[in-house]
Amino acid sequence: MTRLKVTQVKSTVGTKHMHRETVRSLGLKRIGDTVIKEDRPEFRGMVRTVAHLVTVEEVD
């Protein structure tokens, strides 16, 4: 199954509360943090919500 590599590239300071919570629930704590998640609709939606704060790559 495909997995997503999500990296935080921008700060959450000054963003909406729900965007900060979404970034936190993805497992990201600071700029430069990277997590690998399963490619599921739930995670795709979370990433789409904070697309302006993160970058996404598909990994095997």
Side-chain angles (χ1 to χ4, degrees), residues 16-30:
K16 294 181 179 179
H17 176 71
M18 290 307 296
H19 291 184
R20 289 192 300 268
E21 292 298 319
T22 302
V23 169
R24 190 73 169 164
S25 65
L26 282 169
L28 302 169
K29 296 180 181 176
R30 61 186 61 89

Side-chain angles (χ1 to χ4, degrees), residues 1 6 8 15-16 18-19 21 23-24 32 34 36 43 46 49-50 54:
M1 180 174 224
V6 183
Q8 184 175 349
T15 61
K16 294 181 179 179
M18 290 307 296
H19 291 184
E21 292 298 319
V23 169
R24 190 73 169 164
T34 301
I36 297 178
F43 293 122
M46 292 168 70
T49 302
V50 293
V54 299

Side-chain angles (χ1 to χ4, degrees), residues 1-8 25-28 32-40 43-44 47 55-60:
M1 180 174 224
T2 309
R3 294 167 14 150
L4 300 175
K5 180 179 175 184
V6 183
T7 304
Q8 184 175 349
S25 65
L26 282 169
L28 302 169
D33 273 1
T34 301
V35 294
I36 297 178
K37 298 284 188 179
E38 294 295 325
D39 187 8
R40 299 191 338 212
F43 293 122
R44 286 272 181 175
V47 167
T55 58
V56 182
E57 301 174 34
E58 288 188 6
V59 293
D60 293 326

